[in-house]
Amino acid sequence: MTESNTLSGDEAAKRLANLEGGERHPQGLTARFIYLVALAWSCFQLWIASPLPFMVGFGMFPDTQARAIHLTFALLLVYLLFPGRRSQGRFGVAPVLYLVFAALTLWAALLSGQGRALPGTPHVSVLLVLAGTLVAVALGGILEKDARRIPLLDWLLAIAAGCSAFYLYLFHTELAGRPGRPVLADLMVAGVGMITLLEAARRSLGPALAMIALVFLVYTFGGPYMPDLIAHRGASFSRAASQFWLSSEGVFGIALGVSTSFVFLFVLFGALLDRAGAGNYFIQVAFSLLGHLRGGPAKAAVVASGMTGVISGSSIANTVTTGTFTIPLMKRVGFRAEKAGAVEVASSVNGQLMPPVMGAAAFLMVEYVGITYLEVIRHAFLPAVISYIALLYIVHLEALKADMRGIPPRVVTPLYQKLFTFATVLVGLIVLSALVYYGIGWTRTVFGPAANVMIGVLVLASYLGLLWNAARYPELPHDDPSKPVYVLPAPGPTINSGLHFILPIVVLIWALIVERLSPGLSAFWAVSFLIFILLTQRPLLNLLRRRGRYGEAAWQGVRDLLDGMVQGARNMVGIGVATAAAGIIVGTVAMTGVGLVLTQVVEVISGGNLMLMLILVAVLSLVLGLGLPTTANYIIVASLMAPVVVDLGAQAGLLVPLIAVHLFVFYFGIMADVTPPVGLASFAAAAVARGDPIRTGIHAFYYSLRTVALPFLFIFNTQLLLIGIDSAWDLVLTFVSATIAMLVFAAATQGYFVVRTRWYEVAALLLIAFTLFRPGYWMDRVAPEFDALPAHEAVEYVSALDGGDRLRFRVEGMDSEGRDVSRLVMLRVDDEGDGFDRLQGAGVLVMAFGEQVQVSSVSYGSQADRVGIANGQRITEVLTPAERPDSRWFFLPALALLALVWWLQRRRAVGNQTRSC
């Protein structure tokens, strides 16, 4: 493999910058100013996340004000970092559209000045300001000439955009005193802010999100002129400005709040961890452990992308970061350019599904679903892990098909020694985890308030011990992926050289899962410890290795810290703008009821068929996610498509927890990064591999069929989300059966098991996979899953439930839209007390009248509100689990059929070997 058909790391980084729109490279004082702004943003985010403001008594920001400052930084940096044109010589269609809108706005101003104002037209001065802003952003896309200089117009746009966001910080009190009654200045600021936000989204993220938001804006104002199916009464400019910009219902809503509170710190954590050297360490460890296997570099790519994806908020960045190293190595061992890129895409996109970050969507799910962050992680973990295991198996099958070999290891280790080493490490980790968990618990019991100091000392001692261990081994090289690799790095020295990078991740997970701190505070402590590592690891390693130059090493640590904080802020620019722009869609849904319209459209097309409805929702989620970053992707599909599944599923008798619905639409939204013709991750991988992007996307989608199948499976079998798991045996059986099922599904879709499969073997393998994934389907044919109780027994039944159990019942009556409905709903019962109290804890207050039970009130934002229960509805029946055999007995015939397929293929493989001899 030569350098002519691969990209070097620098070239790939430039290509990534082009793909994400960051083509401007200012010099001199401008570059220093941008550096200081980005650094100030990171410092601000660390300050508001820390307990320091509460300790010193100042610097505390209300949510709306903190969001305003957050968006101010993001908008300012967008116009300084991202040019109006993506490449010299062409400016695209966006400036033309801006000029058209400017002309229409001036026409509306002219009519308004002549007393013939259009319905809802704002004051003429507001229209003139809007027209001027549109012309300015259009000229910004036309006049760009030199990527090293920032035009004066972009400086003006940066100031205008930043001031529009900062306006909510300065006048927060005044705006709160006049809700829904904006003055002239409010309207001007809102108009300028919306225009500059859309242009910022176009510059930093491409046209997709900006165009979608613009379509929703047009729908907001043009409701009366729409076809009857999607028509609404429309909105005035004043009402839209209040909804979208001057309140916390649109741009400054939940999505931007999550970006401000949680997401920034996790992105900063990832940037600092990479700056410390952890990114290179993860890649080297993956290659040292897996590079010797069949298709080893591809398997290492999967593992490395998984580890990088845990801390990454972008599938494109994940693709290029690990792909610059893995794709050339995959090509070297026999993968074609498109297949090598497809493996990287499939593994990188899967990184957005892997907890604890999930491309920042995990924190948004907390707000949208109404469960704790720990529960989101627990529910999302098993499908993501199974999907990664299946991808490793797919890579293995591809290697078998092509008879690939791995890269030779330095030392050939016998199998028994590998197993012994693996078992020793596993047992050691279990024992160490137990000692840490119970040891810290004992420390808290004995030392009380002083326990935190003791724990800090233990963490510091662990860090120093791991650094001493790392100093005994050579530093990991930053290999050039374009150079041949003939021998893999030794696993032992490679792993030992960077074990201290694991400590910040341990601190983060400990704070989240054991201490149950908020995600923001957990990330703050993890980032704080990582800052300490960045400042100390170089001088301490020099001391332990007796190299001297301690001052130079310490200064390099300071530079790494500052550069990491700046890089974290720059990585957040797109996410901050995406969450703000996605707020336009959320605000439109709340103001116009377009979510109900989509429900009606899907209902009409599907004709009430449950599977067709789910397929339509999946396709729409995929289309809505085209070209969008992970965060904006989830916000849109959660706002538009999740309610469709909840409403229509309930009417069709489908009862699933809300988290399953949100993961369903999230999975398909993420698949848009893979799917041609807009799959950005596929284009990024093809750019690194020098392959055809469309073919790369097709192969990547083919490899991702397991990810396409999983959402349908956990909708009908929620045990895959660890819901309804009552014992360790249930957990083990669920994990093992689901993993085997996914491997069998992968073998069926790849057309290879022991040897190439025949059509009837593919059918058998698909039947086996379906049975292992959803044995309840066959049991439902034999015995019903639920029995029905009369409504008047509901309260008594609820009183007998255990905490965490789920209550299923049918409600009838008028919904919030005035329609007569009959639907099944499900609530989780957590609170203690009698039946009435536990129902009220789930958000619904009921009253019993003889044999009738009526809903008297529903708490806003509660479980009951989220599943669509409305005041005045009646509970008509309660569903209780029926007594029937365990559905997992159907595993036995499925496994017997699998053994038969394996025997047939094994016999055929032996016959092929005999004939070849």
Side-chain angles (χ1 to χ4, degrees):
M1 188 59 55
T2 64
E3 295 186 25
S4 62
N5 56 359
T6 59
L7 288 179
S8 69
D10 291 340
E11 290 173 326
K14 292 178 182 178
R15 186 63 61 90
L16 171 63
N18 292 342
L19 283 167
E20 295 190 335
E23 300 169 356
R24 183 178 279 158
H25 308 285
Q27 305 293 324
L29 290 176
T30 302
R32 294 178 185 177
F33 176 75
I34 293 173
Y35 190 95
L36 291 175
V37 171
L39 182 61
W41 191 10
S42 290
C43 292
F44 167 74
Q45 295 291 158
L46 284 172
W47 173 261
I48 63 173
S50 74
L52 291 176
F54 302 95
M55 296 170 62
V56 299
F58 71 90
M60 293 175 285
F61 297 90
D63 287 343
T64 303
Q65 290 182 303
R67 296 172 190 178
I69 297 174
H70 180 84
L71 185 58
T72 299
F73 276 114
L75 291 174
L76 183 62
L77 287 173
V78 163
Y79 284 98
L80 300 182
L81 288 173
F82 295 88
R85 274 197 263 179
R86 294 206 157 217
S87 62
Q88 299 304 316
R90 63 183 180 87
F91 55 83
V93 72
V96 176
L97 288 176
Y98 290 140
L99 291 175
V100 170
F101 281 118
L104 293 174
T105 306
L106 288 172
W107 175 64
L110 178 64
L111 291 181
S112 179
Q114 295 176 350
R116 291 183 291 152
L118 298 174
T121 301
H123 194 277
V124 63
S125 59
V126 177
L127 288 171
L128 291 175
V129 169
L130 297 184
T133 307
L134 285 165
V135 171
V137 295
L139 292 177
I142 295 173
L143 300 179
E144 184 83 20
K145 293 181 179 179
D146 188 351
R148 294 170 297 178
R149 297 180 65 252
I150 301 176
L152 175 62
L153 189 59
D154 276 8
W155 282 104
L156 296 176
L157 287 172
I159 294 170
C163 290
S164 297
F166 202 64
Y167 184 83
L168 270 78
Y169 170 79
L170 293 176
F171 300 99
H172 171 71
T173 304
E174 290 83 350
L175 290 170
R178 52 172 187 266
R181 294 178 288 111
V183 298
L184 189 62
D186 297 342
L187 296 177
M188 289 184 179
V189 168
V192 172
M194 293 290 289
I195 294 171
T196 53
L197 174 61
L198 290 175
E199 169 64 2
R202 185 194 69 84
R203 291 189 180 203
S204 59
L205 303 167
L209 179 58
M211 292 303 298
I212 292 174
L214 186 60
V215 167
F216 275 84
L217 278 177
V218 171
Y219 179 73
T220 298
F221 294 114
Y225 311 105
M226 296 291 171
D228 290 342
L229 184 62
I230 60 174
H232 64 95
R233 65 178 183 176
S236 66
F237 183 82
S238 176
R239 184 184 174 209
S242 299
Q243 177 81 9
F244 291 134
W245 197 265
L246 303 174
S247 69
S248 59
E249 301 297 324
V251 169
F252 296 92
I254 290 175
L256 188 63
V258 172
S259 176
T260 305
S261 304
F262 308 144
V263 177
F264 189 101
L265 289 176
F266 278 84
V267 172
L268 179 62
F269 178 77
L272 292 176
L273 198 59
D274 184 65
R275 195 71 189 181
N280 182 56
Y281 172 71
F282 288 155
I283 293 173
Q284 297 281 1
V285 167
F287 272 88
S288 68
L289 293 175
L290 299 173
H292 65 284
L293 302 174
R294 283 183 180 268
K299 293 175 181 175
V302 174
V303 174
S305 296
M307 291 189 291
T308 306
V310 166
I311 59 174
S312 171
S314 167
S315 56
I316 303 172
N318 197 355
T319 298
V320 178
T321 301
T322 57
T324 54
F325 192 78
T326 59
I327 289 175
L329 289 176
M330 282 189 273
K331 293 171 69 175
R332 193 171 301 127
V333 297
F335 279 86
R336 295 203 312 270
E338 288 79 12
K339 287 195 173 184
V343 170
E344 181 58 47
V345 169
S347 53
S348 295
V349 171
N350 251 119
Q352 303 301 287
L353 307 175
M354 177 65 72
V357 178
M358 298 168 64
F363 314 110
L364 292 163
M365 286 184 188
V366 172
E367 302 294 333
Y368 281 104
V369 181
I371 59 178
T372 66
Y373 174 76
L374 184 58
E375 288 178 299
V376 171
I377 299 308
R378 180 167 62 89
H379 295 319
F381 181 74
L382 188 58
V385 169
I386 292 173
S387 188
Y388 261 114
I389 293 173
L391 184 56
L392 283 171
Y393 184 59
I394 288 172
V395 169
H396 181 71
L397 293 177
E398 287 285 359
L400 287 175
K401 291 178 189 178
D403 195 25
M404 298 177 189
R405 303 293 174 181
I407 300 173
R410 291 178 183 270
V411 179
V412 179
T413 307
L415 179 60
Y416 72 87
Q417 187 174 341
K418 292 180 182 178
L419 294 175
F420 177 77
T421 303
F422 175 77
T424 303
V425 172
L426 182 62
V427 172
L429 287 175
I430 294 173
V431 172
L432 180 62
S433 301
L435 287 175
V436 170
Y437 182 79
Y438 292 106
I440 291 180
W442 174 82
T443 303
R444 292 196 182 282
T445 303
V446 173
F447 294 97
N452 288 335
V453 176
M454 297 293 297
I455 294 171
V457 171
L458 290 174
V459 172
L460 178 60
S462 301
Y463 169 59
L464 294 176
L466 291 175
L467 268 188
W468 172 82
N469 181 63
R472 298 164 55 211
Y473 300 93
E475 293 184 20
L476 294 178
H478 289 271
D479 292 331
D480 185 346
S482 63
K483 293 181 179 179
V485 176
Y486 299 105
V487 181
L488 290 173
T494 303
I495 294 172
N496 280 285
S497 65
L499 284 173
H500 58 285
F501 294 132
I502 306 297
L503 277 178
I505 300 175
V506 172
V507 170
L508 175 63
I509 295 174
W510 179 273
L512 285 170
I513 296 177
V514 179
E515 299 293 339
R516 301 294 182 95
L517 301 180
S518 68
L521 191 56
S522 300
F524 169 77
W525 290 118
V527 168
S528 300
F529 185 51
L530 192 49
I531 290 173
F532 175 74
I533 290 177
L534 277 163
L535 293 175
T536 59
Q537 69 169 345
R538 289 182 182 273
L540 286 176
L541 284 172
N542 277 15
L543 176 64
L544 292 169
R545 289 170 175 156
R546 300 180 181 178
R547 291 181 176 176
R549 299 182 178 179
Y550 306 122
E552 180 182 338
W555 178 238
Q556 182 60 46
V558 173
R559 286 202 299 265
D560 286 341
L561 171 60
L562 296 178
D563 290 346
M565 293 181 71
V566 170
Q567 189 58 48
R570 293 181 69 144
N571 292 346
M572 263 303 298
V573 169
I575 298 176
V577 171
T579 53
I584 297 174
I585 290 99
V586 176
T588 301
V589 172
M591 187 164 55
T592 65
V594 67
L596 178 61
V597 171
L598 280 175
T599 301
Q600 293 172 342
V601 171
V602 173
E603 183 178 20
V604 169
I605 297 175
S606 65
N609 184 281
L610 184 59
M611 280 304 301
L612 183 56
M613 180 270 291
L614 290 174
I615 292 172
L616 284 171
V617 169
V619 172
L620 287 172
S621 298
L622 195 150
V623 171
L624 289 170
L626 291 175
L628 299 183
T630 303
T631 315
N633 191 326
Y634 171 68
I635 296 169
I636 292 174
V637 296
S639 301
L640 294 176
M641 303 315 304
V644 175
V645 180
V646 172
D647 290 343
L648 298 183
Q651 295 177 29
L654 175 65
L655 280 180
V656 291
L658 196 57
I659 182 64
V661 175
H662 279 254
L663 285 174
F664 179 89
V665 296
F666 177 58
Y667 266 57
F668 282 103
I670 288 298
M671 286 304 298
D673 278 346
V674 177
T675 311
V678 192
L680 296 183
S682 298
F683 276 83
V688 177
R690 297 288 177 90
D692 180 78
I694 300 299
R695 292 177 65 183
T696 300
I698 292 172
H699 282 298
F701 184 79
Y702 190 47
Y703 293 153
S704 300
L705 284 175
R706 74 208 187 286
T707 310
V708 173
L710 265 176
F712 287 98
L713 296 168
F714 62 59
I715 279 284
F716 293 102
N717 181 11
T718 55
Q719 284 190 326
L720 293 174
L721 303 180
L722 301 184
I723 296 173
I725 302 294
D726 300 323
S727 64
W729 167 248
D730 281 344
L731 176 61
V732 171
L733 192 58
T734 298
F735 175 72
V736 172
S737 63
T739 302
I740 294 174
M742 186 52 73
L743 298 182
V744 171
F745 179 80
T749 55
Q750 295 300 309
Y752 201 98
F753 187 30
V754 180
V755 293
R756 294 192 181 275
T757 53
R758 294 171 178 170
W759 68 268
Y760 55 86
E761 292 171 336
V762 171
L765 290 174
L766 290 175
L767 178 62
I768 294 165
F770 177 77
T771 302
L772 293 176
F773 268 126
R774 198 192 168 199
Y777 175 83
W778 305 111
M779 186 58 71
D780 290 345
R781 312 278 81 78
V782 177
E785 185 178 3
F786 297 104
D787 293 329
L789 290 178
H792 64 273
E793 297 183 19
V795 176
E796 181 181 351
Y797 175 72
V798 174
S799 302
L801 291 175
D802 295 328
D805 283 352
R806 297 181 184 273
L807 172 67
R808 299 167 176 84
F809 56 93
R810 181 177 295 278
V811 293
E812 295 180 357
M814 297 184 67
D815 64 6
S816 57
E817 303 294 333
R819 300 173 302 168
D820 286 325
V821 295
S822 175
R823 59 193 303 176
L824 291 172
V825 296
M826 179 167 58
L827 299 176
R828 187 184 59 193
V829 178
D830 288 328
D831 299 329
E832 297 181 356
D834 61 20
F836 289 103
D837 293 336
R838 302 182 83 176
L839 285 171
Q840 189 171 1
V844 56
L845 183 64
V846 300
M847 299 182 66
F849 302 97
E851 295 188 356
Q852 290 189 356
V853 178
Q854 188 162 355
V855 176
S856 57
S857 68
V858 177
S859 302
Y860 177 75
S862 63
Q863 285 188 68
D865 184 38
R866 286 188 175 94
V867 299
I869 301 176
N871 296 343
Q873 292 180 342
R874 302 181 310 280
I875 297 177
T876 58
E877 64 178 3
V878 179
L879 301 183
T880 64
E883 292 290 336
R884 65 176 188 173
D886 193 323
S887 60
R888 288 175 292 196
W889 282 109
F890 284 96
F891 287 171
L892 296 179
L895 293 175
L897 181 58
L898 178 61
L900 175 62
V901 174
W902 178 86
W903 178 76
L904 290 173
Q905 292 215 346
R906 182 63 181 170
R907 189 175 65 170
R908 197 157 69 246
V910 173
N912 293 341
Q913 291 176 358
T914 303
R915 285 192 296 272
S916 64
C917 294

